[in-house]
Amino acid sequence: MREQGRARRGQGELEAQVLGALRAAGGPVDTAWVRERVGGGLAYTTVITILTRLLAKGAMTRERSGRAFVWSPVADEAGLAALRMRRLLDQERDREAVLASFVTSLPPGDERLLRELLERARDPED
């Protein structure tokens, strides 16, 4: 049970903290290392759960190291948000309608930025 007075983390906040710790590690690290860096009195099983969820989302990799795993990030916070967006899009039947609705709902600055990014992706030599 949580201690009284301790604030509950926002959705995705713990995942972001774990990813931040992994990016700062500079190489593969074990679960105990992540738990120590994230802090907050988290249970070891909670850290394993977060790491496993991030693995399932494609945000990290793991490899065996003795009897345990070591973890490495493959996505930063922006990459994780992009993975979530892609997963949501993949669940829809009419991708064109979803993308059209998304683009038309963007503020002008974001729409312009998206167009620039698409152009760069099409012609990466610039």
Side-chain angles (χ1 to χ4, degrees), residues 6 18 27 49 81 90 121:
R6 194 159 74 185
V18 168
T49 299
D90 287 346

Side-chain angles (χ1 to χ4, degrees), residues 18-30 33-34 37 71-73:
V18 168
L19 277 173
L22 286 166
R23 282 194 312 275
V29 294
D30 63 18
W33 187 95
V34 174
R37 294 314 182 281
W71 307 84
S72 300

Side-chain angles (χ1 to χ4, degrees), residues 46-61:
T46 299
V47 177
I48 287 285
T49 299
I50 296 302
L51 290 166
T52 304
R53 286 180 184 167
L54 289 168
L55 178 69
K57 293 177 181 182
M60 65 179 46
T61 61

Side-chain angles (χ1 to χ4, degrees), residues 51-115:
L51 290 166
T52 304
R53 286 180 184 167
L54 289 168
L55 178 69
K57 293 177 181 182
M60 65 179 46
T61 61
R62 73 177 181 192
E63 58 187 66
R64 274 250 180 241
S65 177
R67 293 175 42 192
F69 289 106
V70 290
W71 307 84
S72 300
V74 295
D76 56 10
E77 289 180 48
L80 185 57
L83 288 169
R84 283 191 291 248
M85 291 167 60
R86 175 65 189 267
R87 207 170 56 244
L88 287 171
L89 182 60
D90 287 346
Q91 294 172 2
E92 296 299 323
R93 290 184 191 179
D94 190 349
R95 294 172 73 90
E96 183 177 348
V98 172
L99 288 169
S101 179
F102 176 73
V103 169
T104 58
S105 69
L106 290 173
D110 286 348
E111 183 179 342
R112 189 172 30 260
L113 176 59
L114 180 58
R115 289 181 191 284

